[in-house]
Each structure stands twice: as C-alpha cells, then as structure tokens.
Amino acid sequence: AFKGAPQISTDDGWSFKPRGRMQVDFGSVNGPSGLTVGEQAHLGSSVEFRRVYLGFDGSMPGGFGYRAEINVANSDVSINDMYLTYQAGRNVTLTLGNQKPNWGLEEMTSDLFTSFQERASFSQAFGFERRIGLNAQYLGKGVVAQLGVFADDPKSLGSDSDKSWSVDGRLAAMPRVAGGTLHLGGSVHVRTLNDTIPTVTYQTRPFVHTTDLRFVKAGIGSATQERGLGLEAAYIKGRFHATAESFWQTVRRTGFKDPTFNGGYAEVGYLLTDDTTAYKNGTYGRIKPKHGLDSGGLGAVQINARYDWLDLTDAGIRGGRQQTAGISALWIPTDYVRFILDYGHVWVKDAPVTANGDASYGADAMGMRAQFDF
Amino acid sequence: AFKGAPQISTDDGWSFKPRGRMQVDFGSVNGPSGLTVGEQAHLGSSVEFRRVYLGFDGSMPGGFGYRAEINVANSDVSINDMYLTYQAGRNVTLTLGNQKPNWGLEEMTSDLFTSFQERASFSQAFGFERRIGLNAQYLGKGVVAQLGVFADDPKSLGSDSDKSWSVDGRLAAMPRVAGGTLHLGGSVHVRTLNDTIPTVTYQTRPFVHTTDLRFVKAGIGSATQERGLGLEAAYIKGRFHATAESFWQTVRRTGFKDPTFNGGYAEVGYLLTDDTTAYKNGTYGRIKPKHGLDSGGLGAVQINARYDWLDLTDAGIRGGRQQTAGISALWIPTDYVRFILDYGHVWVKDAPVTANGDASYGADAMGMRAQFDF
Amino acid sequence: AFKGAPQISTDDGWSFKPRGRMQVDFGSVNGPSGLTVGEQAHLGSSVEFRRVYLGFDGSMPGGFGYRAEINVANSDVSINDMYLTYQAGRNVTLTLGNQKPNWGLEEMTSDLFTSFQERASFSQAFGFERRIGLNAQYLGKGVVAQLGVFADDPKSLGSDSDKSWSVDGRLAAMPRVAGGTLHLGGSVHVRTLNDTIPTVTYQTRPFVHTTDLRFVKAGIGSATQERGLGLEAAYIKGRFHATAESFWQTVRRTGFKDPTFNGGYAEVGYLLTDDTTAYKNGTYGRIKPKHGLDSGGLGAVQINARYDWLDLTDAGIRGGRQQTAGISALWIPTDYVRFILDYGHVWVKDAPVTANGDASYGADAMGMRAQFDF
C-alpha cells in the first residue's frame, strides 16, 4: 500500500516503508532601522531547506518496530527519530533511542502538520529537541500518558563528558465534547545539566527560520538544572480548531536567583474547504483533502491566526520579551504536498539587540514553504 | 519493474524508486619538474570516491513528483537533486528545489553518461552546480525550453546573509537531419552576486579530479554580477556522436574593467560494438549494450577524443590558459555498470602556478573509473 | 522475502534490499583515583549511538552486485561498505571499493554478531578499518582465501596527498572435526605509509567505546611501513564456541629500531537456550533463536567469557600493556534484535596515563547495548 512511499508488509508482522520529506522555505524579515550592518546582513530575504529527512521505518514479528531517520537539510547529518520500539501490551509501547522527550502538543505534532512554518517561540527558545532515552507510552481510550528518562541529543553526546539527563512526563486527555474533541494536557520536565558547560542559552528567531538573528536572547550562567512545566489545551471540531499552550522554564543556579521564563500561544484555524482538521491520540495529524488535485479538485485550504509570546526577562536576566501576531494560509493540494504562506508582526521589548539604542521596536516577517513527504 | 533498483508503481499515479550510484576513481597526474614540494604532493596517483549518491524518487497522483538525493562521496552530506515537480500541462513541468540551473548540454547530461571522467574545463571553472530555485521546462516535439530563477547552493545558503540570485534560461532544438539527430542550443545566465563576498574564483583541475592542484586560476575581486552565455551543438547518429560547446563568462565589477573568460570543447565518439549512442530531449542518456554480460555478450565499448580549452586571462586578470587533448575508452558491460579509462595531455600558458619560474608547461594525466548505479 | 527489510528480486538476477542498523550503547567506566580532572571527565557513565548504518545492496544480471552503506552514528557521514562486486567464477568474487582489507576472524565478522560490545583491543589499536581497494576472494569447500590491494579509508583519501597503500591477504580453513567446525586461519598485511604523515598512533579504549580516554597509547614517529601478522583459531559446535586470535604489528622506521606490538584474546561462549552458534565461510554469523518472541518463546541467550591482552611497549616505545577480563550476556529475542550486557576488568601496566604518578592500576567497565538491523 502507498502511504506516500510504498509500505511493504506481510501477514506475520513484517512491514517496511521508506520515509522522507523536503521543506524548502523562503523567508523575509524587515527589521527596524538602526541595527548594525552585521545584524542587518542577517535580515532581508533568504532561501533554505528547512528540513530534508531520509529514512525508513518498519515492524518485525514479536512486537518490535523501529524508525531510522536523518535530517540532511544543513548539508550535514543530524540524527532524527532513531529508535527501537516494543509493544509491551495492548496499550503500552516502549521506545528506546533518539526521540522527542514528551514535549507539549505542538512540539509532539509532526513538523509536517504545523499551522505555521515555525512552531511557537517557546518551543525554539527552551531547547526542545530529540534526545536519546527510554520512553514508555500508555495509550488508552481518550487518554495518553508518556514518561521517560533521557540523556542528551546525539551530537552533544559525541562528547563523552556530557552527563546531562532528564525525566520527562506528559499526560493528555481527549474527551468528546459538543461533537468535537477537547484536548487537555500537561507535561513536566526535570533536567540535570552537564556541569562542565554550566551555561544555557534561550533565544528565538523572529517568526521565520531563515534568519539567524535573534532579537531576544538570554544566557544563564552557573546553571545546574532545568525545570519545565507545560500546559496544553485544544478543541477540534470539523473544519475548526483552537489551540493554546503555555510553558514555564525555571533554571536552577548555584549562587544566583533562579529565573523562570514563560512563553505560549493561542491559535484558531479554519478550513475554507469542506475538509476536516486531523487530530489523533494527543497530536495533530495529516489533513487529507476530500477533493484533492488527484481527484480533480483543488485541495484543502486552511487559514490560521495566532498570538505568541515569549518572556526571557526574570531574576536579573534581561533576555527581552517578544510578542508575535501571525496569520497563515495553508494549501494542501494532495495528501502529501503542502504549501504555507504566512505573515507575522513581531514586537520586542527590553531586547539585548537594540535599534539605534532603543530596546523596544517592531519587525515584520513573511514566509513561504513548499513541502512534500513520503 | 527493475530500473537498476525496483520501481514500485500503481495505476493511479503512485510510483517510487530508490536511487544510488558509486563512482570510484583512480587518477594520476605527471606534472612538470620545478613545482614546489607542496604542489608536487598533490600530483602523482590518487584514489577517491568521485560520487556516491543515495536517494529516492517518486510520483504521486495529481501531477506531483519528486527526487531526494544526497552525495556522500566526501564523507559529508552534499544535497544533490532535491525537488518537487508539478506536471503543469502536457508539455510543461515546474520544478521547485535544488536542481541544475539550465546549464549546457554536457552539464545537463547526467554524470553517469559523460564521455570522460570529468566534464569540460569550463564547466568546473565557472562554478556550474545545483542551486535552489524554481524552474519551468517546456518539452515539445524537437524542442526543449527551460527558464528559472535561482538562489544559491544549499551549503552556501546555510549563511542567511547569502543573497545571490540568478535567472537562467536554455533553449535547444533537436531536428532530425540525415538519419541522425542534430542538437542546437544555447543558454543565458545572469547572476547578481552576494555583495558580502565580492570575490569569485574560477579554476579547473588538469583533466582528472583526483588532484586538488589547479595550474590555472583566476580570483576576481569587487565582483557584482556574473553573466554567462553558452552555445551547444551536437550530432548523434547510430554509433557516432560529435559535440561542441563554448561558454563565455563575464564578471561585472565595481571600479574595474569587466573580464570575459571563455572555455569550450569539441568531441567525437564512436561505439566499437554494434550499439547506439543515447540522446533524448536535450541531453545524452544511458547507452544500453545490445549484447551485455547479462546476455552472454561483452557489452558496449565506446572510444572518444576531445579537445578542450579554457582561457582565464582577460582585462588585466592573469588566470592562465589551459588546453587539453584527451582520449577515452568506455566499457559498458551491462546497462548499470560502466568503466572508463582515459588519458589527457594538458598545456598551460601564463599560469599562476609556475614550474621553475616558467608559466608555460605541459602535464600528462590518466584516469580510471568504475561505476554502478541503480 | 523479508530479511529484516524486504528483498525484492527477479528470476533473471535482479535483487534489491534496503539495509540499516542501530546500536545504542550505555557504558560506564570506573577508573582509578588520582587521574586528572580532565581525564576523569571522560569516565563515568555515557550514552551514544555506537553505529547507525543506512544503505542498500543488490545484484544485477551479468554477475554484478553492490553494497552502498553509510554510518551516521557520529552525526556525520562515514562511508562504510561501498563497493561493486563481480562473480568471476563459481568460487571467485572480485570486490572493488570500500571494504575490510582481509583482517582476522572477529574483525571480518559483522559488528552485529560480536560476543561483546567491542571487538578485541588489538582490533582497535592497530587501526583496522575499511579501505578503498580491489579484493579477490576464493571460496571453496572448507576454505576461504582473500587477497587484495588497498589505498586508504575514504576520509583520509579526501587529501590527495595520501599515497598509502597496502597488500592484505587472508587464508582460512574450516574442516569438520568431532561433529563441529574447526576454524584455522591467518592474515598478512604489508602497508607502505604515506610519507607526509610519518607518525602512526596505536591506542585502545578500556573495554567500552563510550569513553574517549585511553590508558594505553603509543605514538610512533618516522614510520614508513606497517607489517601485520594475524593468527586465528576457533571451534564451533552446537551451543558452544571458542575463539582465539593473536596479531603482531611491526612498524618499520627510518633511523630507529622497528617495534613489534602484539595483542590477542581467547574466548569461550555458550548458548543457555536450545540454539546454535552461527558460523559460515570464515566468519561468525546471525544466531536465529529457535523460539523467539515472534513465536511465543523468549529468544536465545548466550554467555561469553574472554581474556584480552594488548602490549604497546617495545623497542624503546612505552605505550603500556593492557589486559582485560570480560564476561557478557547476550539476549536475542528475535533474529534482528539483540541486547548485550557486559562487564570487564582492565589491568594496565607502564601506561602513559598515570594515576597519582602510578603507571599500573585497574579499572572496571560495564556496558549495555540495544541493537536492531534490517
């Protein structure tokens, strides 16, 4: 059967499927006047491969499964999902290897299915990434619970002196409410930091990923532990969805006050075409247009609006505050092809990057993405 | 169906095929006496993986297709063809992503099917490469027209301050003449350079790729624009083919005269076995031996002779002139396996690399390649 | 047919199969007190991807075959098996490309099937690796003979001044003795070193791979040639196997005495379950549990014990001596999944890394591996 790529399977439990995706992005940021020449050089219009994944997944008789995928978008290798799974019971799956440590709703949703080119600012700022660990998931009727212990990302673990480790748990309920699905959840993260590199840096790009300039940025020295708390809520019904998340990240330090930073977003989206927003088991999924180009139709069109905030100023650390208002239009001509057009206005306050000495200013950003996957 | 690798497809428009190739090269360059020890260390005999490609391509219902391929020959990742295509009409294909910006006949021909181990000197010198862009192709009866707008190659675009962009167009006609196919074409390229790196470097290796020493080399500062004009002609009939191309590259500069460099080649080739040179839609293709090893035969054997020139001296820039006379023998035992043996003599004049103070001298180079693809 | 991944083949000689493997390791080394802070930072507990391979292999009509595989475990690309094969006769296979230069029994055995997480110390110390070359293998009834000429590994060959080359041969007989298989063999290696980098370094990790600290290490300057001699013996019968290997490496030098270093190991192993040790054509193979998880059983369990030594002190070079006593337990729940738990005690003598000034001390190491392949 074709799921983008052919999935070859047998009755006794074998299956195999190649995997891949390409996201090619155009982005443009119009910053304030008064930046330095060096800062300005990062703005303007740029093109990049945002993600290029290649890999395989499969299953074997006996309850085992796997995924092996790399990201080559940056002309190097970054190890993506790379794990062995075991179906330990009807509801319980164990996963060993590189995977997402039970972050919140949007981060756990595949980057193929986000409403904007980029996820929320806090997702980028607080270092959400895949890490090598052992995770357990319980998937019941209307509930998903995930708990795992994790080391660090594969590249960081290339240094044998990296001894960071964390415990990460997430719980979400998804009751049926008024003909739709309500999603309510939260996640907790406690991470002991590698003591040989006691500085953590939190920063986020302005709306698009094509620029490497960050207006807001906090470097926190003498860090010993990160504690994260995320709350997530969503409602999905037919063409409509609304999502809100907030995340609090506390850094424990030796000899200094412990700052707590916060970020979050609220979003509404609507499908202009007669299609249905996809949600399943605690994450958003693939929108499959009822009348795609492949059946003579025009595909699905979704519009979304979002307000996003990130506050990196606390306890004497002045990383700045960034707010973003964004709108997006998604065109999904067929199941495995997607185009995104989005625009955002960014307001920063108390930012370490100043414009003519002013730490508060605005910027405009727009982006486009073309994407396919298999 | 097997096309090297299995192509899995369905009646409703799905298809999928893994892709790969390996080219392992031996090369040897015998330079003039009087080079420095450091320069000599680059000559002599060397072995290398010239290309190792891995990837997939496929098509989807609705007119979409894709290719995703990387080159790992240098023990890193270089993004190769990486694009989404759309069949916009019976004759028109749009391609978005990393691809060749409509260079000339030999460059647009797959490296699997070239007559020598390396393409013409100008192809290397003038920076022909794949770039991220949007391209349109019209393929009619006896004519192909291509026009696109391009940013830069993926690695260069890793720097968000890279703002170079170009418009590249190519037109070729391929009438039937005297029982064979005549190919006549040309391409035009206008590229606005990234102003933060205003130097372009044009250089070429002596005949083989295993050495990193270039006898001829021109660095042009204060560059603002590259303009390229290519002419291409070929005649293909049965066992015989002849090809000639020439390319003029002009660099616009601020405050200096604009140099125009030129390179080109003329080649004839002949199949000693009862086989047919492959050409289709504006490029050379895969020679499939009538009596391959797989059917008890010995495969196809082609011999080729070529004269190649490159002049990197103009407008006060002395990059040198290089001429090469080369012969090659290709053995194609089966459709997807090929061996090349070639020899070239190189004459350089006014070269920046001198031998005992002499800027004009000769060098001999020979190479061997073993190749398979799927 | 599924061999981990689907192998697609036709009657006329085409075949194709994706390949991959993941080994995720936990390792912990408890060294002596008195190391420096920098050295201590390398010890303790660490997690890493030991190997992540992705690739394809296949065969074509006419006697050709190939394998194309990369290792991305270190978040970069290392070219693994990458070659074209030709079946030159009923017993003779030619292999051109990147491959193992006919090392000894354990090194020629796939890393999927070793008895411990890591191979013998000498295997690591003497720089066993894949190199680009042309190899011939004769496989007869009860005998395998291999002889090839090799350049260097692909990454080293990225420098065109690398002119090292070697001749490597191996011969092994495998008579049936007392209901089991006796393996007796040896290999000889003569390698002319690249004269621009005349220093070779021999070193080995303590038992596990997760640490980058080596207690024993010899750097040999003015080296012109490496000569290796390996002897290998094994006996395999049903659940039982025993293996012993020893390897002598001599470095020829200009102006200094030529040191000869030696390493080796002796091992016994036993399957606690009703399963059979796998051996074929000169290497160990895949143990396929009779009663795997896939058929309601618990899989195969093997226990192994090994004594390993490495002596890097000779001819005035004091690299130190390391001995290791190790035990391991392997759990193989299904054919393509394996878990390893092992423990080793290491004794070093005359080591360049000292503990409180003492060059002789002990260390404990334990490790765990989870692995799948397809």
Side-chain angles (χ1 to χ4, degrees), chain C residues 114-168:
Chain C
T114 53
S115 308
F116 288 79
Q117 276 180 290
E118 298 304 317
R119 295 194 181 95
S121 299
F122 76 82
S123 199
Q124 208 181 116
F126 298 146
F128 293 0
E129 61 178 352
R130 286 174 180 84
R131 294 182 184 140
I132 301 181
L134 175 62
N135 205 26
Q137 172 174 294
Y138 173 89
L139 181 61
K141 195 175 157 56
V143 64
V144 59
Q146 298 160 324
L147 185 65
V149 56
F150 295 88
D152 212 330
D153 66 283
K155 199 163 220 162
S156 298
L157 289 169
S159 161
D160 62 353
S161 57
D162 183 342
K163 315 290 188 197
S164 298
W165 66 280
S166 67
V167 176
D168 301 82

Side-chain angles (χ1 to χ4, degrees), chain A residues 163-186:
Chain A
K163 315 290 189 196
S164 298
W165 66 281
S166 67
V167 176
D168 301 82
R170 180 179 179 239
L171 183 67
M174 48 211 87
R176 296 287 299 173
V177 171
T181 302
L182 182 67
H183 170 100
L184 291 172

Side-chain angles (χ1 to χ4, degrees), chain A residues 96-160:
Chain A
L96 175 65
N98 203 42
Q99 55 189 306
K100 292 179 182 172
N102 308 321
W103 307 115
L105 171 56
E106 190 180 41
E107 185 68 31
M108 297 305 284
T109 293
S110 167
D111 57 69
L112 290 169
F113 309 137
T114 53
S115 309
F116 288 79
Q117 277 180 288
E118 299 304 316
R119 295 194 180 95
S121 299
F122 74 83
S123 198
Q124 205 181 117
F126 298 146
F128 293 180
E129 61 179 351
R130 287 175 180 84
R131 293 181 185 142
I132 302 180
L134 175 62
N135 204 26
Q137 172 174 294
Y138 173 89
L139 181 61
K141 196 175 155 57
V143 64
V144 59
Q146 298 159 324
L147 184 66
V149 56
F150 296 88
D152 212 331
D153 66 284
K155 201 162 218 162
S156 298
L157 289 168
S159 160
D160 61 353

Side-chain angles (χ1 to χ4, degrees), chain C residues 91 105 116 167 175 229 250 277-278 331 343:
Chain C
N91 298 100
L105 172 55
F116 288 79
V167 176
L229 170 68
T250 302
T277 300
W331 177 41
Y343 162 81

Side-chain angles (χ1 to χ4, degrees), chain C residues 105 181 183 233-237 240-244 265-269 284:
Chain C
L105 172 55
T181 303
H183 170 101
Y235 184 71
I236 303 98
K237 182 175 179 181
F240 173 82
H241 77 276
T243 321
Y265 70 94
E267 171 189 310
V268 291
Y284 285 100

